[in-house]
Amino acid sequence: MPLRDIDDIEKLKKINAALVGRVERSMDQQVNAFSLFQTAISLENQVRTRTEELHTTLRRLERSNIELSAAKENAELANLSKTRFLAAASHDVLQPLNAAHLSVSALAEVQTSEEGKKLVRQVERSLETMEDLLRTLLDISKLDAGVVQPEIGDVSLEALFSSLRSDFLPEAQKKGLSLKFRPVNVVVRSDRTLLRRILQNILSNALRYTRSGGVLVGTRHRGDTIRIDVADTGCGIPDDQREAVFEEFHRGISTLVDGGLAGGLGLGLAIVRRMAAALGHPVTFSSKVGRGTIFHIDVPVGMGAAAEPAAGAADMERPRGYGLFGTKVLLVENDADVLSAMSSLLERWQCLVRAATSTDDALDLIGDTDWVPDIVIADQHLDGGDLGTSTIAEVRDYLGRPVPALIVTADGSELVAKAARAAGIELMRKPLKPAQLRALLAHLLA
């Protein structure tokens, strides 16, 4: 019905109100839609902003990762360079140190006065301290650089204990201490050299900080593990130093030895912790101040049967007074000081020495005469890039027989040790201990 035909005012008001309400609702919907639109735009801008911020953060993180990776690589290269430098430096330092050892040993044999003998002993102790420090710093450097790769195999504890007893018994007897190793017929899985070094450092500390009583080494079977215990009756370790004892250059209470203070270098247990970590052998200890300390090393049980200790092995390691009178020695050494000192020492042992500095020199000495060496002693790194192992091989080939031979070197790498073992050549590290050299020569010539 057209509006002009409606006479009822109230009805018109109702219609008007309905129309106004519809218009208002329509406007509200439009306002709401516009508000939603604005909200959507605002949210989209926020999302875009946050996304850009996230991308920026990710790019920064990626750059940081690249920088960290580069820094890590540089640090590793620096570590390896440091290790190579220390290895080269220690080799160069060990050469004159070896010459000094040999010269002092020769000097000791001609001393008749007590004052002279005392001075020689002081020089020998100083040289041994220098040697220990150099070798230990090199070991720490190698372990920190991660270049030490353990060679895991079956290790006879009986043979290892026998060797350690031979090394440390004279020191214990000198201090009036007992040193006991409980017999054990067991094999463990470890690297023999590193495990021996761990026990050697712990034993050295035990004897150093024990004034009375002694040291006992034993084992306990714990499932798939053998626990090696090294117990002493020394001064003990206070609770507040339980971690500090494994830090570099940390020393315990010094003890009196030969009228002087001997507190060690403070590096023994630092080496122990690093080597034990490389092997995966937990090292712990219990201690009571004034009563002593027990160190525990947990080592996996081996898979093979226990090997019997080699007959006479302990005796060979302990210096003995064998006679070398008339022994013909071909000495191949390119360092003039070491050559002179070694020749002098061998001649004092009544050996007949002929010296060379290279492979060609050595072959010339045996090529033009009927002089046939009883034994060959050679440095590994010789003039002209010659290697001692190769020189010995050529001398043996020329003579047509496997003449006994010994490599004496300051090169501590496993590569040299493997080459010597493969050729059936004995190996000694510089600086030499003359008494051990003499015992080994007598053993090779027996």
Side-chain angles (χ1 to χ4, degrees), residues 87-105 123 126-128 130-131 134-135 333-342 379 408-411 430-432:
S90 65
H91 180 275
D92 290 343
V93 173
L94 287 173
Q95 284 285 76
L97 189 59
N98 181 57
H101 262 301
L102 298 173
S103 297
V104 168
S105 178
V123 173
S126 297
L127 291 174
E128 287 171 359
M130 287 176 60
E131 178 190 350
L134 281 169
R135 291 196 185 281
E333 170 64 68
N334 64 324
D335 186 285
D337 291 335
V338 176
L339 185 66
S340 174
M342 179 75 91
D379 188 8
V408 178
T409 180
D411 186 340
K430 293 179 180 178
L432 290 176

Side-chain angles (χ1 to χ4, degrees), residues 229-302:
D229 294 326
V230 181
D232 65 61
T233 57
C235 57
I237 299 171
D239 289 340
D240 60 355
Q241 295 185 26
R242 293 186 68 87
E243 282 301 315
V245 295
F246 291 104
E247 296 174 0
E248 294 88 347
F249 300 106
H250 176 86
R251 302 185 190 189
I253 302 171
S254 296
T255 56
L256 286 170
V257 177
D258 292 343
L261 289 175
L265 299 171
L267 292 169
L269 293 182
I271 282 283
V272 165
R273 171 165 281 186
R274 285 168 167 84
M275 289 186 172
L279 291 169
H281 299 345
V283 174
T284 56
F285 70 87
S286 55
S287 184
K288 290 186 178 180
V289 175
R291 297 186 60 182
T293 303
I294 305 176
F295 272 88
H296 316 285
I297 307 101
D298 293 331
V299 189
V301 176

Side-chain angles (χ1 to χ4, degrees), residues 254-443:
S254 296
T255 56
L256 286 170
V257 177
D258 292 343
L261 289 175
L265 299 171
L267 292 169
L269 293 182
I271 282 283
V272 165
R273 171 165 281 186
R274 285 168 167 84
M275 289 186 172
L279 291 169
H281 299 345
V283 174
T284 56
F285 70 87
S286 55
S287 184
K288 290 186 178 180
V289 175
R291 297 186 60 182
T293 303
I294 305 176
F295 272 88
H296 316 285
I297 307 101
D298 293 331
V299 189
V301 176
M303 296 181 292
E308 293 297 326
D315 291 335
M316 189 192 75
E317 293 187 31
R318 187 182 305 173
R320 294 173 61 183
Y322 293 108
L324 297 173
F325 181 83
T327 299
K328 297 176 183 176
V329 180
L330 175 59
L331 178 61
V332 191
E333 170 64 68
N334 64 324
D335 186 285
D337 291 335
V338 176
L339 185 66
S340 174
M342 179 75 91
S343 297
S344 176
L345 184 66
L346 291 169
E347 287 168 356
R348 288 199 62 80
W349 293 344
Q350 306 301 311
C351 294
L352 306 175
V353 182
R354 294 201 174 182
T357 60
S358 65
T359 302
D360 289 341
D361 287 346
L363 292 176
D364 287 342
L365 288 176
I366 61 176
D368 298 332
T369 67
D370 295 329
W371 190 84
V372 177
D374 297 309
I375 193 166
V376 181
I377 302 176
D379 188 8
Q380 176 64 359
H381 301 288
L382 303 168
D383 287 346
D386 289 351
L387 297 178
T389 46
S390 300
T391 301
I392 291 170
E394 293 198 33
V395 168
R396 285 174 168 177
D397 184 62
Y398 180 85
L399 296 174
R401 64 184 182 87
V403 59
L406 170 65
I407 289 290
V408 178
T409 180
D411 186 340
S413 68
E414 183 60 25
L415 188 64
V416 174
K418 287 182 177 178
R421 285 196 298 268
I425 301 170
E426 293 293 329
L427 177 70
M428 291 190 78
R429 307 287 189 191
K430 293 179 180 178
L432 290 176
K433 289 182 171 55
Q436 291 183 355
L437 171 63
R438 184 171 181 174
L440 179 57
L441 292 179
H443 171 76

